[in-house]
Amino acid sequence: MADNATLRELTPRQRRALESLLASGDVTQAAQSANVARQTVHKWLQQPAFKTALDLAEADKLRGLQSALVRLGDK
């Protein structure tokens, strides 16, 4: 996921929403996970700290998938 400094800027609810967005990509599900309204998640997506954390986490996830694909290709 995102680095610790970036995550410390987020509230616990924002962190739950972030984890859900990474897993599902669904704003409604992320809102339910964080126990907030969908509009709140959309507002968070406009905040630099939340957007940066999401971007970093997505990049980490992508790197992991790329590594897995390379390992599969080597087999």
Side-chain angles (χ1 to χ4, degrees):
M1 193 178 277
D3 67 8
N4 288 335
T6 304
L7 289 176
R8 279 193 299 266
E9 294 182 38
L10 304 181
T11 67
R13 285 184 176 183
Q14 287 175 320
R15 287 192 291 271
R16 284 194 299 273
L18 179 72
E19 290 170 5
S20 182
L21 281 171
L22 286 171
S24 70
D26 183 51
V27 172
T28 300
Q29 189 170 340
Q32 290 171 347
S33 295
N35 198 28
V36 297
R38 287 180 71 249
Q39 293 85 350
T40 300
V41 176
H42 282 289
K43 287 179 186 176
W44 289 344
L45 287 166
Q46 302 305 312
Q47 295 175 356
F50 189 86
K51 183 64 175 141
T52 297
L54 181 59
D55 290 345
L56 290 172
E58 286 175 339
D60 286 345
K61 192 172 184 177
L62 183 57
R63 278 191 295 276
L65 289 171
Q66 287 172 330
S67 294
L69 285 172
V70 167
R71 286 190 301 276
L72 285 173
D74 289 342
K75 288 184 178 184

